[in-house]
Amino acid sequence: MLSYTEENYLKAIYHLSGSGTKAVLTSEIAETMNTRAASVTDMIKKLSAKNMISYEKYYGVKITRQGKAEALMVVRKHRLWETFLVQKLHFSWDEVHDVAEQLEHIQSALLIEKLDEFLEFPTVDPHGHPIPDKTGKFVEVRQIPLSDCSGKKKITIRAVRNGSPSFLQYLSKIGVYIGATVAILEKIEFDGSLEIMIDGKKKVFISREASQNLLVTE
């Protein structure tokens, strides 16, 4: 069994590695975990001893198959709890991350299975991120940043890259949500900002930075 801190590190390594596809530098881990390099080195030793990661000097950290499986279970719990908080307790989507960070460490597999069933087996969380099933599998849909779209095609908002409360609050204020249909009315050449129509009703301007952090399907 992993400690809370070990689970947090493993989840961070999983995300930094592109879902386990590349090695991660210790400096990247330290920055993500907001800690000192020495603390990262200590944790690398602990996780290596448990066969969760492998480490080679100058090449970085790679997550093992066992480590990836453990990380995916933490991700699964986190996203199920976020979904529960929004759907059943009516939290707003900008309020749930920190609470789910605490709940994701609950160890009861039965509780998580019951939670999944209670929520009717959701496939994405409130931010549009895929929820792994109990075997760690999930469906990946090809998504692109809104900033990469052009023309007046109808586009569906699928997920957010930036999960910060301030960004999510901004999206709520202008009426953007997961599942919203948008059309690009104009792209401003000067700064890359967009004028968009949301659900055929509301026109708003959004910055290039905001559009880069919205993932969509055309």
Side-chain angles (χ1 to χ4, degrees), residues 22-26 28 54-62:
K22 61 182 181 180
V24 181
L25 299 176
T26 54
E28 294 178 289
S54 62
Y55 174 70
E56 190 174 350
K57 196 173 183 180
Y58 306 121
Y59 290 94
V61 173
K62 287 186 177 180

Side-chain angles (χ1 to χ4, degrees), residues 10 14 28 45 50 53 62 66 74 86-88 90 95 97 99 101 107 123 128-129 136 140 186 194 209 218:
L10 199 58
Y14 169 77
E28 294 178 289
K45 292 176 181 177
K50 294 184 178 183
I53 61 169
K62 287 186 177 180
Q66 183 180 349
V74 180
V86 169
Q87 288 188 2
K88 304 302 180 181
H90 309 297
E95 296 174 325
H97 177 75
V99 181
E101 282 283 305
Q107 295 299 323
T123 57
H129 303 142
E140 286 192 278
E186 185 178 6
L194 301 177
E209 182 180 357
E218 294 182 313

Side-chain angles (χ1 to χ4, degrees), residues 2 7 10-11 13-14 47 50-53 62-74:
L2 300 175
E7 286 188 340
L10 199 58
K11 184 176 69 169
I13 293 167
Y14 169 77
L47 292 174
K50 294 184 178 183
N51 195 34
M52 297 294 157
I53 61 169
K62 287 186 177 180
I63 195 165
T64 63
R65 181 178 296 181
Q66 183 180 349
K68 183 177 179 179
E70 291 286 346
L72 280 167
M73 288 303 100
V74 180

Side-chain angles (χ1 to χ4, degrees), residues 53-120:
I53 61 169
S54 62
Y55 174 70
E56 190 174 350
K57 196 173 183 180
Y58 306 121
Y59 290 94
V61 173
K62 287 186 177 180
I63 195 165
T64 63
R65 181 178 296 181
Q66 183 180 349
K68 183 177 179 179
E70 291 286 346
L72 280 167
M73 288 303 100
V74 180
V75 171
R76 167 175 163 79
K77 289 185 283 185
H78 182 98
R79 294 177 179 175
L80 282 173
W81 283 119
E82 285 190 331
T83 304
F84 172 77
L85 292 168
V86 169
Q87 288 188 2
K88 304 302 180 181
L89 299 187
H90 309 297
F91 279 66
S92 62
W93 66 339
D94 57 275
E95 296 174 325
V96 296
H97 177 75
D98 288 346
V99 181
E101 282 283 305
Q102 300 170 54
L103 294 169
E104 72 186 21
H105 300 294
I106 293 173
Q107 295 299 323
S108 172
L110 179 59
L111 173 60
I112 301 306
E113 287 184 24
K114 293 289 187 182
L115 177 64
D116 195 13
E117 182 181 5
F118 179 64
L119 295 170
E120 299 181 343

Side-chain angles (χ1 to χ4, degrees), residues 94-216:
D94 57 275
E95 296 174 325
V96 296
H97 177 75
D98 288 346
V99 181
E101 282 283 305
Q102 300 170 54
L103 294 169
E104 72 186 21
H105 300 294
I106 293 173
Q107 295 299 323
S108 172
L110 179 59
L111 173 60
I112 301 306
E113 287 184 24
K114 293 289 187 182
L115 177 64
D116 195 13
E117 182 181 5
F118 179 64
L119 295 170
E120 299 181 343
F121 307 103
T123 57
V124 295
D125 72 9
H127 308 116
H129 303 142
I131 300 174
D133 66 17
K134 61 183 179 181
T135 67
K137 296 178 181 178
F138 58 88
V139 177
E140 286 192 278
V141 178
R142 183 180 178 275
Q143 300 167 344
I144 60 172
L146 179 59
S147 56
D148 289 355
C149 298
S150 59
K152 297 185 179 181
K153 301 175 184 176
K154 285 189 176 180
I155 298 160
T156 303
I157 305 295
R158 295 297 183 188
V160 292
R161 273 180 170 168
N162 182 342
S164 68
S166 59
F167 182 60
L168 298 176
Q169 289 163 9
Y170 161 73
L171 294 179
S172 294
K173 186 174 182 179
I174 65 172
V176 172
Y177 59 95
I178 302 302
T181 299
V182 303
I184 297 174
L185 304 180
E186 185 178 6
K187 189 168 188 174
I188 309 302
E189 186 176 345
F190 172 70
D191 61 0
S193 60
L194 301 177
E195 182 184 19
I196 61 173
M197 176 82 77
I198 304 169
D199 291 335
K201 300 174 183 177
K202 183 179 180 181
K203 293 181 182 180
V204 296
F205 281 93
I206 62 171
S207 68
R208 181 175 183 176
E209 182 180 357
S211 65
Q212 288 174 332
N213 280 290
L214 289 170
L215 295 175
V216 305

